[in-house]
Amino acid sequence: MTLTETPTERDLEAGFEATVARNERIEPRDWMPEGYRKTLVRQIAQHAHSEIIGMQPEGNWIGRAPSLRRKAILLAKVQDEAGHGLYLYSAAETLGVSRLELTELLIAGKQKYSSIFNYPTLSYADVGTIGWLVDGAAICNQVPLCRTSYGPYGRAMIRVCKEESFHQRQGYELLATMMRGTEEQRAMVQESVDRFWWPALMMFGPPDDASPNTAQSMAWGIKRHTNDELRQKFVDMSVPQAEALGVTLPDPELRWNEERGHHDFGQPDWDEFMEGVKGNGPCNAQRMAHRRRAHEDGAWVREAATAYAARQRAVSA
Amino acid sequence: MSDQSTGSELSAEGGHGAVPLKDVPTGEGVTPLEPEWPLYEVFVRGKRGLNHVHVGSLHAADDRMALLHARDVYTRRNEGVSIWVVRADAITASSPDEKDPMFAPSGDKVYRHPTFYDIPDNVPHM
């Protein structure tokens, strides 16, 4: 092969961009710009961390579920979150990083997870509200990601979205059941919705005029909608659901705008959001300490399984 | 917003909520201090009559653990009737860089396709 036949960086980049422009997928061993790879690793890893940390707020209630039926549902849900984390770590590993390395970055506090999981779960109604609003917001973010340009990420998201639908519906059904109960139970649901509505809106991130990264990610086909578009979609979806449930969403500015064909709504407290991202949210320290302890307490199990596997190989050799 | 500079580094594309994307280390691809369990690729047969299809990967200490983990991670909702696991380092794959030369032999053989042949319209069942 002569020198002229070796593809230059520019040729490779043109090939990459043409693939993305044709709406085809980039696969693990394809050439890709370093910025694209790094953006994906950050996004997928922190998404995976969110799923894993996300087991804690609800796991808190497994031992105190009000019935065997609710306990079985909650166990299945929390197990799904672990599964979602594993699908995503597996997708991140196709980009040349190891799961253990990513776990170590999380435990060292260098990579983050979604701030929504830094809010405490104070009553069993929170299990329902998290399913309805938090997983509902996640669905808005995740459905477009099924068509993301990176193949392994999109395929992981398809699996996640199928299971997320169960999460949302079990949550809504739980709340609907409580709303048919006593006055006290209805008050628990409203109190829970009051606490989670604004944090759920924050899940979509700062407004578009404060998120310049979005443009690059959209050009690369990693992202398909802006933060504000997704937030609007979520509000429009949630209003009739809240009405059917019989709860009030705690936003005095929330009203239908005939002209826009969408609901107008207020802005969440972005200072509170930033405090959470910086590590000063209500449960940041507790979540991280728990994750670190689980990793360290599990070390002997990982070592023992490795030793057992080595011994079995030696015996059969 | 009190801190515009930090705010500008955040995006909702974390899937489960907004996470920072700038100034976050991505990992160096270095080997961690603790030796990691080997990587396995997982293939699942959805139902009888279908091929096994690649569904993802996982880590396990040995083959049997890989099968059990594959069941728990990839078939929690009757997604399969049979699972194959294979060590990722045992797979030989064609290189994406060789895409054109590797598949060139089939590119110019249109006569291998049934549509290459003209059959009169009055000939039935063909």
Side-chain angles (χ1 to χ4, degrees), chain A residues 49-61 64 103 106-109 111-123 126 130 134 195-196 276 279-295:
Chain A
H49 299 332
S50 300
E51 301 281 357
I52 296 299
I53 297 284
M55 289 193 281
Q56 293 184 37
E58 293 182 283
N60 181 35
W61 285 95
R64 291 173 288 167
T103 301
L106 169 69
I107 287 172
Q111 289 186 342
K112 308 289 181 185
Y113 55 90
S114 171
S115 298
I116 191 73
F117 301 116
N118 289 323
Y119 290 91
T121 44
L122 304 178
S123 81
D126 288 358
I130 288 175
V134 174
R195 270 185 292 114
F196 274 97
N280 305 323
C283 298
N284 289 56
Q286 183 189 337
R287 302 288 185 240
M288 288 296 286
H290 185 97
R291 182 68 193 91
R292 192 175 299 119
R293 194 168 59 242
H295 185 66

Side-chain angles (χ1 to χ4, degrees), chain A residues 142-174:
Chain A
Q142 290 171 346
V143 167
L145 284 178
C146 294
R147 294 180 293 119
T148 194
S149 62
Y150 189 58
Y153 192 25
R155 293 192 285 274
M157 292 318 304
I158 289 171
R159 306 181 66 86
V160 168
C161 284
K162 277 187 193 163
E163 298 177 353
E164 211 69 65
S165 172
F166 144 61
H167 296 177
Q168 193 187 23
R169 291 175 68 117
Q170 66 82 31
Y172 193 84
E173 187 235 40
L174 191 163

Side-chain angles (χ1 to χ4, degrees), chain A residues 14 19 46 76 116 157 174 188 192 221 228 242 252 254 288 290:
Chain A
T19 304
Q46 295 184 119
I116 191 73
M157 292 318 304
L174 191 163
M188 276 172 76
S192 174
D228 283 335
L254 183 66
M288 288 296 286
H290 185 97

Side-chain angles (χ1 to χ4, degrees), chain B residues 25-38:
Chain B
T26 56
E28 303 297 318
V30 295
T31 312
L33 293 176
E34 182 182 322
E36 196 158 29
W37 289 341

